[in-house]
Amino acid sequence: MTDTDPLTGLDDVPWARLQHSYGTAEDVPGHLRAMQAGVWEGRYPPSAQLANHIVHQGTRSQAAVHTVPFLVRMALDPRLVNRHRFVALLVAIAIGLDNNHLPNGYDPREDRAHLEGLHGEADDWARWIAEAADDEQRTQREGSWAQVLIDAEAVVHCYDAVREALPELAVLLNSDSPELRAETANLFAWFPESAAMSVPLLQAFVAGEDSPGAAATGLVALGLLGDPAAVPFVEHYLDSPVVELRWASAFALTRWGITGPSVVDALVEVVARPPERAGTMSFLSGSYCALAAMALAGTSEGATLRAVEAVLAGLAGCTGLEAFHDRYYTARTLLSLVFPDAPAEPPQSFNELSEAQQRVVRFLAESEEGGRPSMDALRRWKVPTGRPELRAYAGLIDATYPDSQEA
């Protein structure tokens, strides 16, 4: 890295002619300069403020692709602080919300096919525009078509721009910051087309990594890339004395359909008693519990009483604001697994539920109202969702609700 300013050329980009989620992108240079300076006013760091504008709720904007060269150079500049945030923003620019692509990984072919399909529909769009009733409607339709095309192109261009920077960013796997190393491993997880380069890099990274959370991130990344050549390397860690590495190995192996007893045992262990967060496992905000639940759901054992009991034990320990992701994603996974779709004939009583379903209902009935997850899955099964009604349905007695009775 030279002494060159990473933001050289920033003002040469026609930001005023580019779009983001809140209009034109004239404010992007200010956010990038604030990120470089490492200072900000208000609640959120400038990286979060920029993300809110260029990848709002995972929607990659036209302006996002133009930030990639500057973010890459800032991530590589050792003079700057919190460089893991720059890499995390590159992840969002490449694929949107990574949470939406777990536990299976990202397939860029879908976005490319969508864009190609739109190009193939150009004549249909042109006819639709020509059929407008008047000039005002024609202008509206032209704008709609242009925006649809801009959005689809932005998705593909953003992904490709970050992918092109991967070889340059690989050096960050050897940085002094475990957070930066882990976030870089996370980044490499989302580019299956670059697996031939990424898999050897990630294997070397995991083998030499001192931080259990960062090494676990590397193993999960190997699983998300899905290259079968990595299976023997990943399987080796299933017998590791380090719980984070056993968990990560098990999670990754499920991505190849490897779900034997030792894999399930490792996932059950961690979903019930997740390791303490050290800030370096970067997937899903470091939620070992939620990711283990997702992996368990993909095995034949996921809906067994043993697995359900383990997930509920993990949920019981998900307290406090810092456990939001654990609580939300773990509960969502559990409910969608135990109460799938909508039954042809909803149960008429608690006793008609399966043993695993009964256990989940009792757990929810005993949970505090504010700590319970979304109840949409229960509603599909016509199971009560209000706490008093749910307690009565499950046959629980509670002095707080004197009208409830023992079933």
Side-chain angles (χ1 to χ4, degrees), residues 283-303:
F283 288 103
L284 206 63
S285 299
S287 178
Y288 292 101
C289 183
L291 282 165
M294 289 180 180
L296 264 178
T299 73
S300 60
E301 301 295 313

Side-chain angles (χ1 to χ4, degrees), residues 125-164:
W125 281 87
R127 282 192 292 272
W128 178 67
I129 292 170
E131 293 167 356
D134 51 42
D135 289 344
E136 181 179 359
Q137 188 180 63
R138 184 175 299 105
T139 299
Q140 291 174 344
R141 291 186 176 187
E142 288 173 343
S144 296
W145 163 238
Q147 192 61 54
V148 166
L149 201 57
I150 286 171
D151 292 343
E153 288 175 343
V155 167
V156 173
H157 293 164
C158 282
Y159 181 84
D160 287 341
V162 179
R163 182 189 175 199
E164 289 174 5

Side-chain angles (χ1 to χ4, degrees), residues 33-56:
R33 289 190 172 101
M35 289 169 64
Q36 183 186 38
V39 295
W40 69 90
E41 295 180 0
R43 180 179 178 183
Y44 299 104
S47 57
Q49 295 177 37
L50 178 60
N52 185 48
H53 283 71
I54 64 172
V55 286
H56 180 70

